[in-house]
Amino acid sequence: MTTADGFAAAPTRRALLAGAVGIAAGSLPAIAHAAEPAGANPATTLPGAGAPFEAGTLADIARARASAPYAAPKTDDVPAVLKALSRDAYEAIHPVPGRAVWAGRDFGYEVEPLLRGSIFDTPVSLFVVENGLVQPIAYDRDSLIAANIALPELNADTAFSGFRLRARFRDGTELSNFALFQGASFFRLVAEGQDFGINARALALRPADSRGEEFPLFRALFIEAPAPGQPIVVHALVESESAAAAFKLTLTPGREASVAGIDGTVFARAELDHIGLGGMQGSYLFGPLDRQKVDDLRAAAFSVEGLAIRNGYGEPIWRPVHNPEALQVSAFLDRGPKGFGLMQRARSYDDFEDDRRHWERRPSLWIEPQDDWSEGAVTLLEIPSDSELNENVFAYWRPKAKLAKGGEMRFLCRQHWSRGWPDPLPPELARVKDSRCGHGSAGNRRLFAVDFEGDGLTRLEDIEVALSASAGTITRQDRFPYPERRTLRVLFELDPGSERASELRLGLRRGQERASETWLFRWTP
């Protein structure tokens, strides 16, 4: 079931992370973190050098912090030489070869701590855990190369804003980008050979809410030393005015898909009535559905093509995204969702013809709940954007139930960061391959073409088209079968009349049986 929560004009919102960030490294150790402030509650403080780190360590800290007043991190102490850096200058900072954490060790991973600077002003404490013991990551400016920049001396406790993780995807290959943790509670993964694209969020609170969004922040990240050839585990402490949370992320690099297992627990400092789990965001500037207002030589520009859902009732849904004139919020009500994700189905250079961004290399992200997510809604935000760097498409699961002050909520899920189409479909169901839109026969009419592809479309005589519009009139409907390509194109025209929005729904059936995923789209002028 699909409902519109409503949409109204809103200004363009710049995403906190605009693109892939590659930077600095540090080397382990000699410098310990600064001591906690005098009088700090021991239950809320981070473990120091040599302290044991056990399964419940971070959850205990988050629980204690949620019962105490919120102390926001200091963000105005970034040295001017780092704060003033342009994005390009900031990304140009890189590690001295052989100086990353675990460089030269047979782990198959290296950690590159990222400095605070440019737009990244929130301090994040970084630690490694070896043999069950904590070791803070030190700041060493001699381990970094920064052209034409004199890096300042920094306190190790406030030097970093996150880290980049490099991994060996196959035996015998070089280390390459695998994961990035930086900005609010954002993180990214890629499969082998991909570029960083879509962002995941550990936790979201009140997205697009009239009360204003609250951005939980990474406060500390603990990286466990892995056994060679094994997944790597990252523990994250996240905190904001209304909540604290502890996350365990088990990360496995892969050739076709990299996987993150998420075990998270949220502790409510105040009542939480708008929680976002499994949050993810990416960019969409224009594509085949909305080229009419674009003067651009490229074929398309987006890191996210659409939202895929496999709801708890077994219905697979494909919802192409677009760049609206005003903020749009869509809620897909559900119970026990099987999975959802923001997908990049376009995988050819010809889909974009962008020699710089190479959007075809960006990952899709599919989430599978691993426990009962009960009632709620997959929620989609589409935010007006005038730049391909704005991550203006955001999707998340919003639980129906509130979390009372002092309450706890644990959730489990698995993320698939893939170069292909990880959203699973039964083999008998056709998938939407492409969606296009252009001017119709007269006035403000719009002509749509939706291409379905699948093995079941070699036999088309018993295929029925189910098409509807919530407003306006469908004035034309045609079928163009291409059995040699296992494809059926459905062409239809919408006459919206005086309406300002129409929810379009399209699917293929064989009698009472579903023959395709359901295509949904919200038309607006």
Side-chain angles (χ1 to χ4, degrees):
M1 179 177 180
T2 305
T3 64
D5 280 347
F7 47 91
T12 298
R13 185 181 76 177
R14 298 274 177 182
L16 292 185
L17 282 182
V21 180
I23 356 193
S27 57
L28 271 181
I31 307 171
H33 275 222
E36 294 285 347
N41 179 355
T44 66
T45 58
L46 300 176
F53 191 90
E54 300 172 343
T57 296
L58 211 55
D60 290 342
I61 294 172
R63 182 182 293 108
R65 290 197 174 198
S67 65
Y70 177 62
K74 187 176 182 180
T75 59
D76 60 357
D77 58 342
V78 180
V81 66
L82 297 177
K83 181 68 175 177
L85 289 177
S86 68
R87 177 182 170 185
D88 288 342
Y90 179 69
E91 293 182 359
I93 302 174
H94 62 279
V96 172
R99 296 296 300 274
V101 177
W102 298 332
R105 301 180 67 176
D106 189 26
F107 287 166
Y109 301 91
E110 289 182 359
V111 179
E112 299 181 353
L114 305 177
L115 291 179
R116 296 168 70 200
S118 188
I119 64 171
F120 301 105
D121 55 9
T122 300
V124 180
S125 299
L126 300 182
F127 304 84
V128 294
V129 179
E130 294 197 43
N131 300 316
L133 301 179
V134 170
Q135 175 63 61
I137 293 179
Y139 168 70
D140 179 3
R141 67 179 181 179
D142 293 333
S143 70
L144 306 176
I145 297 174
N148 302 317
I149 302 171
L151 293 177
E153 290 289 354
L154 299 172
N155 186 310
D157 201 36
T158 58
F160 304 121
S161 61
F163 71 89
R164 181 174 57 184
L165 185 64
R166 294 169 63 81
R168 182 173 293 112
F169 286 87
R170 288 180 288 163
D171 291 342
T173 60
E174 297 296 321
L175 298 175
S176 56
N177 286 341
F178 170 46
L180 180 70
F181 286 71
Q182 189 181 41
S185 65
F186 298 143
F187 62 97
R188 308 177 184 210
L189 271 66
V190 291
E192 183 182 24
Q194 290 192 310
D195 296 334
F196 285 123
I198 193 171
N199 261 317
R201 288 200 207 179
L203 181 65
L205 296 175
R206 302 197 306 265
D209 195 296
S210 61
R211 296 166 294 179
E213 183 168 359
E214 182 175 317
F215 285 92
L217 306 173
F218 286 135
R219 302 301 300 273
L221 296 165
F222 297 79
I223 310 151
E224 291 191 29
Q230 296 300 306
I232 187 168
V233 176
V234 176
H235 301 266
L237 175 65
V238 174
E239 195 174 9
S240 68
E241 294 91 336
S242 300
F247 294 88
K248 177 183 177 182
L249 302 93
T250 303
L251 312 179
T252 306
R255 297 183 64 182
E256 294 301 318
S258 292
V259 178
I262 312 294
D263 184 345
T265 305
V266 180
F267 304 91
R269 180 178 273 120
E271 181 183 77
L272 303 178
D273 61 1
H274 189 166
I275 304 172
L277 305 181
M280 60 187 83
Q281 63 188 69
S283 62
Y284 184 95
L285 185 61
F286 70 93
L289 277 168
D290 49 10
R291 282 196 59 90
Q292 70 270 24
K293 299 177 183 178
V294 176
D295 184 13
D296 197 304
L297 62 80
R298 298 171 297 178
F302 54 77
S303 67
V304 170
E305 186 175 1
L307 170 66
I309 302 172
R310 186 75 183 276
N311 66 27
Y313 308 100
E315 181 183 19
I317 294 170
W318 175 247
R319 167 59 155 82
V321 300
H322 73 307
N323 186 357
E325 291 294 318
L327 170 67
Q328 294 190 20
V329 183
S330 303
F332 304 84
L333 303 181
D334 202 0
R335 182 184 183 93
K338 301 296 189 295
F340 67 96
L342 292 178
M343 302 289 111
Q344 185 72 320
R345 289 183 171 179
R347 287 296 169 195
S348 167
Y349 168 83
D350 293 338
D351 292 325
F352 301 97
E353 297 188 7
D354 190 326
D355 302 292
R356 182 184 179 193
R357 301 290 180 192
H358 285 287
W359 304 102
E360 69 275 9
R361 299 176 185 169
R362 309 304 175 97
S364 296
L365 175 52
W366 177 257
I367 288 185
E368 293 178 305
Q370 298 296 294
D371 56 353
D372 183 11
W373 284 23
S374 190
E375 291 186 83
V378 176
T379 305
L380 174 67
L381 309 182
E382 295 167 294
I383 303 166
S385 175
D386 57 3
S387 170
E388 63 211 55
L389 300 182
N390 290 344
E391 293 182 325
N392 58 315
V393 177
F394 181 39
Y396 61 98
W397 173 257
R398 179 177 179 176
K400 180 179 179 180
K402 299 178 182 180
L403 185 60
K405 179 180 179 180
E408 303 179 8
M409 178 183 63
R410 185 184 181 193
F411 67 97
L412 306 171
C413 66
R414 183 182 294 122
Q415 298 177 337
H416 301 263
W417 302 73
S418 172
R419 66 169 68 249
W421 294 355
D423 45 321
L425 280 180
E428 67 273 13
L429 296 186
R431 185 187 298 269
V432 176
K433 181 182 179 182
D434 197 11
S435 308
R436 296 182 177 275
C437 180
H439 66 82
S441 59
N444 62 347
R445 294 184 180 187
R446 303 299 296 169
L447 190 64
F448 290 85
V450 180
D451 293 347
F452 292 91
E453 181 183 62
D455 291 339
L457 297 183
T458 57
R459 178 173 58 87
L460 298 172
E461 59 273 10
D462 57 348
I463 289 287
E464 300 174 3
V465 175
L467 172 64
S468 64
S470 66
T473 304
I474 302 296
T475 59
R476 173 188 173 188
Q477 178 181 318
D478 294 302
R479 295 170 28 147
F480 296 94
Y482 299 96
E484 71 281 3
R485 300 203 305 263
R486 304 178 301 118
T487 299
L488 174 65
R489 169 168 286 189
V490 178
L491 194 73
F492 68 92
E493 185 179 71
L494 171 70
D495 182 357
S498 60
E499 300 290 342
R500 300 294 296 172
S502 181
E503 301 284 351
L504 304 175
R505 184 182 183 93
L506 172 63
L508 305 180
R509 304 193 69 84
R510 278 194 171 93
Q512 298 301 311
E513 299 297 322
R514 185 181 291 117
S516 74
E517 63 184 347
T518 301
W519 179 87
L520 302 176
F521 188 69
R522 176 183 293 158
W523 170 83
T524 56

